[in-house]
Amino acid sequence: MEPDETPQWPRPYSAPRPYTAPRRTGLKHSSLAAIAFLLFIITLVLAGAYFSRELDVFPQGSSSYTPVPRPGLLPFGQRHEPPPGQEEADAPLGRPALESWISDSYEFLAVKADGSPLTYSPCRPIHYVVNQEQAPPGVEAILEEAIRRTSRASGLQFIFDGTTQELPSDERPGYQPGSYGDRWAPVLIAWANPQLVPRLSGQTVGLGGSSAISLSNGFKAYVTGTVSLDAPQFEDVLAERGGRQVATAVIMHELGHLLGLDHVNDPGQLMYDEASNVRDFEDGDLAGLAILGTGPCSKLY
Ligand SMILES: [Zn+2]
């Protein structure tokens, strides 16, 4: 019931008319706006959940892995990963040397739910930087040769981005925009020693492994990694006869880990976990690398 059906002038200033039509219309509009805004926020949250992803770090040369906790809510506008799909071509950039594999003497460091191995995308290059502050003299050519052979075996393309002062770390962030720009951090190849990298102590001459992104739709792929090389032990190796071949083979073994190969219990392969006479990738290594070089491409990460 309207309290003031009879027009009065002046209308009492303080008369509240909460149920009059004009005011109701006003309320309706603002409610609709609020509901629309809420729906917008809910959509954003759901989209965020759907596209959520996290970075798993696979310890170097090991078959187990520890997922790194996804960072909590970040201040608005701050990212913890680069824009997706950078440098991702529509087709693989290269093809592995071996088109038909005749050996199954290989193991993968990590496999996905469907049984296929975790891989780098063959549709984008693998950038790498080198910390050569501790490098023995003359090892640049050895590293280049090891990378060239690993690239040929896998079909994956490597791009040298220059030198760095970054040191290896088990907690290495996969995204370091301050150091490397708005992209996934390049693979770090570091000449080090047991003081800098304790896991290089003892007989361990090198370590290699990669970190993977996990999307909420189940997709996983390596995005970056680290190879650590024990400079003092390499100096000893290089001082021996045939040392360059041994040094090259050790780096190739670590690059095999970087791309996703695990050790095999087969002394005829380079991925055998003990020192041997193998100086190059053999049939099992080549078969494994060919599979690792033909993983899925994706512009989602
Ligand atoms: Zn190894």
Side-chain angles (χ1 to χ4, degrees):
M1 186 67 189
E2 298 285 311
D4 51 354
E5 268 174 352
T6 310
Q8 290 176 351
W9 191 264
R11 186 170 283 181
Y13 173 74
S14 61
R17 302 177 69 203
Y19 299 109
T20 55
R23 185 166 286 217
R24 195 180 295 132
T25 306
L27 266 178
K28 196 175 173 188
H29 279 157
S30 59
S31 302
L32 279 177
I35 289 168
F37 181 71
L38 266 176
L39 284 175
F40 174 69
I41 295 295
I42 290 168
T43 307
L44 276 185
V45 169
L46 287 178
Y50 179 75
F51 291 112
S52 74
R53 56 220 19 233
E54 52 189 51
L55 201 64
D56 295 337
V57 172
F58 294 77
Q60 302 163 6
S62 149
S63 54
S64 62
Y65 73 90
T66 315
V68 167
R70 188 165 173 244
L73 286 175
L74 292 170
F76 187 74
Q78 228 178 52
R79 289 199 309 265
H80 53 81
E81 60 189 63
Q86 289 186 67
E87 290 187 281
E88 179 83 12
D90 291 326
L93 306 176
R95 290 156 71 131
L98 202 63
E99 293 282 352
S100 62
W101 22 100
I102 49 169
S103 166
D104 59 2
S105 202
Y106 55 81
E107 296 287 344
F108 298 121
L109 280 170
V111 290
K112 296 179 277 190
D114 64 1
S116 64
L118 224 77
T119 60
Y120 280 91
S121 167
C123 291
R124 62 178 77 180
I126 299 175
H127 289 266
Y128 70 97
V129 290
V130 181
N131 183 334
Q132 51 190 27
E133 283 176 22
Q134 308 285 327
V139 288
E140 288 92 340
I142 294 174
L143 176 57
E144 268 174 43
E145 173 67 10
I147 286 178
R148 198 178 60 76
R149 289 198 221 171
T150 307
S151 176
R152 193 176 56 197
S154 63
L156 297 171
Q157 304 298 300
F158 288 78
I159 294 179
F160 176 50
D161 282 358
T163 57
T164 183
Q165 298 195 321
E166 188 187 355
L167 290 169
S169 158
D170 288 345
E171 285 90 41
R172 183 180 192 241
Y175 178 50
Q176 303 180 43
S179 304
Y180 300 114
D182 200 4
R183 56 172 179 150
W184 292 111
V187 166
L188 171 63
I189 300 178
W191 292 97
N193 56 51
Q195 288 76 51
L196 294 171
V197 180
R199 287 202 287 134
L200 285 176
S201 52
Q203 298 288 307
T204 307
V205 189
L207 299 161
S210 288
S211 303
I213 182 87
S214 297
L215 308 188
S216 55
N217 63 4
F219 184 91
K220 292 182 183 208
Y222 291 132
V223 290
T224 187
T226 303
V227 169
S228 306
L229 303 166
D230 188 352
Q233 285 199 74
F234 268 84
E235 276 180 53
D236 293 345
V237 167
L238 288 166
E240 288 169 20
R241 191 185 176 89
R244 290 181 73 84
Q245 283 69 40
V246 177
T248 309
V250 172
I251 299 174
M252 289 164 66
H253 174 102
E254 303 311 334
L255 290 171
H257 284 318
L258 178 81
L259 296 187
L261 284 182
D262 202 352
H263 291 141
V264 284
N265 189 21
D266 174 357
Q269 308 299 327
L270 190 58
M271 294 315 292
Y272 187 56
D273 65 351
E274 287 171 38
S276 71
N277 294 322
V278 179
R279 299 285 178 263
D280 202 349
F281 291 128
E282 294 299 332
D283 55 357
D285 306 309
L286 289 169
L289 287 170
I291 295 168
L292 291 168
T294 48
C297 297
S298 172
K299 297 187 181 184
L300 285 177
Y301 67 96

